């Protein structure tokens, strides 16, 4: 576990206090109801067991890579989430698998990879046959189906059959390509373009439009907006902040974790806070979002990890996607592309909701900078030392 995460979630310590969550759930901010978010995994929230996708009598599995002291499912004191919308369409299945795979257990990953790689063959298998094919159990197969957003395995089989029919009709399959150390630059450009396009398609297919609309509403009506991000996600946070500023909203991006927390304590109902973290477990981003959550601000999380710690403090969760990480292509590259797409969706949505004030603000900001975009070209011969 990283030092930052240890500071935010000490070993053996609970996530936010039960009292704070109870107060937040019982007393929503003035002018808005407490908006319980749908899990980015697509799991059904009520009843309680469905929160972790566990059947009655079937023990839960702990996802691989979840830090000690951080529960794999949402803690019991987290406000109850709204029921999940209908199962995703077949074309969104592969995107959902790519997005959720890092948060799955190894056995669930085996099932997910099998159905995504050969939907036609898997659509003909019973739950017992698929369990045997992947070396897992029937319970794991059912849990995987629910994690992918389907009420049960039967619904997943129907989606697999539809996806197989789509592939047979000639639709191009998604391809993951690796960049080798000796690839020529032309091949690098082609592979990166293909991966970026796939990441954008996956993000669009897996984006919860209900959550997106609710997040737009929260931002459009916010008195003040704080945005938290570290590293590559910090660049995305700055991009969102400057976009919102140009349409007349008060928005600030915080890359310094100390400043983020000291600003978060000033938030109150009617404000909004956005956390951007692909891993969903960056302590320097979780801490200010938790503070904003406890102060009553509307909270939004952009993350690529299902049931990540950051989602425990988010009213609205926007799931992003990323290409498979390789040595020459770290997750920060494709996750940034995915995050920027979601940021643009938020910005355009907010601009639409606030058009009467946003349009004049955009015009004013453009006119204020127009003269800076028309610097005359220097005349005369350029010397070797002149740039």
């Amino acid at each position: 576990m990283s030092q930052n995460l240890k500071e935010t979630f000490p070993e053996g310590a609970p996530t936010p206090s039960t009292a704070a969550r109870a107060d937040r759930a019982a007393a929503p901010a003035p002018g808005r109801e407490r908006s319980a978010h749908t899990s980015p995994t697509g799991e059904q929230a009520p009843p309680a067991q469905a929160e972790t996708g566990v059947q009655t009598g079937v023990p839960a599995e702990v996802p691989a890579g979840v830090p000690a002291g951080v529960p794999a499912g949402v803690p019991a004191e987290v406000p109850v989430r709204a029921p999940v919308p209908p199962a995703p369409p077949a074309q969104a299945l592969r995107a959902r698998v790519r997005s959720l795979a890092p948060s799955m257990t190894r056995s669930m990953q085996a099932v997910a990879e099998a159905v995504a790689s050969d939907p036609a063959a898997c659509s003909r298998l019973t739950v017992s046959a698929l369990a045997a094919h992947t070396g897992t159990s029937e319970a794991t197969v059912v849990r995987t189906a629910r994690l992918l957003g389907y009420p049960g395995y039967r619904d997943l089989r129907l989606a697999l059959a539809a996806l197989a029919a789509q592939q047979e009709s000639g639709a191009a399959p998604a391809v993951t390509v690796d960049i080798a150390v000796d690839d020529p630059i032309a091949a690098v450009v082609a592979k990166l373009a293909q991966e970026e396009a796939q990441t954008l398609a996956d993000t669009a297919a897996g984006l919860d439009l209900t959550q997106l609309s609710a997040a737009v509403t929260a931002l459009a009506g916010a008195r003040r907006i704080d945005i938290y991000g570290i590293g590559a996600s910090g660049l995305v946070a700055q991009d969102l902040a400057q976009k919102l500023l140009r349409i007349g909203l008060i928005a600030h991006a915080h890359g310094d974790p100390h400043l983020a927390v000291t600003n978060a304590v000033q938030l109150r109902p009617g404000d909004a806070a956005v956390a951007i973290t692909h891993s969903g477990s960056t302590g320097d981003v979780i801490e200010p979002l938790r503070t904003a959550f406890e102060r009553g601000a509307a909270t939004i999380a952009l993350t690529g990890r299902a049931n990540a710690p950051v989602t425990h403090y988010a009213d609205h969760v926007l799931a992003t996607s990323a290409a498979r990480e390789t040595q020459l292509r770290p997750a920060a590259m494709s996750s940034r592309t995915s995050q920027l797409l979601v940021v643009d969706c938020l910005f355009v949505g907010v601009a639409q909701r606030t058009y009467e004030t946003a349009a004049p603000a955009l015009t004013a900001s453009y006119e204020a900078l127009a003269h800076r975009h028309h610097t005359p070209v220097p005349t005369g011969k350029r010397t070797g030392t002149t740039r």
Side-chain angles (χ1 to χ4, degrees), residues 87-381:
Q91 62 266 29
L93 175 60
R94 183 175 285 107
R96 195 167 286 260
V97 169
R98 287 163 62 97
S99 175
L100 300 180
S103 65
M104 294 179 178
T105 62
R106 290 183 177 84
S107 56
M108 293 175 76
Q109 285 179 359
V111 175
E113 290 171 1
V115 300
S117 61
D118 195 351
C122 291
S123 68
R124 295 189 290 269
L125 299 178
T126 64
V127 63
S128 301
L130 182 57
H133 175 68
T134 56
T136 60
S137 65
E138 293 182 17
T140 298
V141 172
V142 173
R143 273 195 294 269
T144 305
R146 290 182 174 178
L147 187 65
L148 293 175
Y150 301 91
Y153 179 62
R154 177 179 177 278
D155 303 273
L156 175 59
R157 286 185 69 182
L158 293 174
L160 292 175
L163 184 58
Q166 181 185 33
Q167 290 179 342
E168 290 176 2
S169 69
V175 179
T176 298
V177 291
D178 292 329
I179 298 176
V181 69
D182 56 350
D183 272 349
I185 193 64
V188 171
V189 171
K191 290 180 178 182
L192 283 177
Q194 183 173 337
E195 284 284 15
E196 297 287 348
Q198 187 63 54
T199 296
L200 292 173
D202 287 352
T203 300
L207 195 58
D208 187 327
L209 300 183
T210 301
Q211 288 294 303
L212 177 62
S213 179
V216 166
T217 299
L219 294 178
R223 180 188 67 91
R224 163 184 163 185
I225 302 167
D226 277 11
I227 309 167
Y228 316 122
I230 300 295
S233 294
L235 300 176
V236 178
Q238 292 178 30
D239 182 70
L240 176 58
Q242 67 90 14
K243 281 181 165 68
L244 296 177
L245 282 169
R246 291 199 66 177
I247 58 174
L249 299 184
I250 301 175
H252 301 284
H254 301 287
D256 184 302
H258 291 184
L259 287 176
V261 173
T262 55
N263 276 272
V265 298
Q266 305 301 326
L267 297 179
R268 59 179 185 266
D271 296 330
V274 182
I276 304 176
T277 163
H278 177 63
S279 69
S281 58
T282 304
D284 287 337
V285 174
I286 295 173
E287 186 177 0
L289 190 73
R290 178 180 64 184
T291 302
F293 178 90
E294 292 170 348
R295 294 300 189 278
T299 51
I300 302 165
L302 273 70
T303 181
R305 297 289 186 263
N307 282 336
V310 72
T311 67
H312 302 170
Y313 309 100
D315 295 314
H316 314 293
V317 175
L318 303 176
T320 58
S321 180
R324 181 163 53 90
E325 185 170 7
T326 64
Q327 184 178 10
L328 292 179
R329 183 176 172 76
M333 291 175 64
S334 58
S335 66
R336 183 188 63 227
T337 300
S338 177
Q339 291 167 349
L340 287 172
L341 171 61
V342 177
V343 160
D344 285 349
C345 291
L346 285 172
F347 168 70
V348 173
V350 171
Q352 289 176 319
R353 300 281 182 91
T354 62
Y355 184 77
E356 290 186 0
T357 56
L362 271 175
T363 300
S365 64
Y366 175 79
E367 291 176 349
L369 297 174
H371 70 283
R372 295 180 177 272
H373 297 292
H374 298 286
T375 303
V377 178
T379 58
K381 185 177 180 180

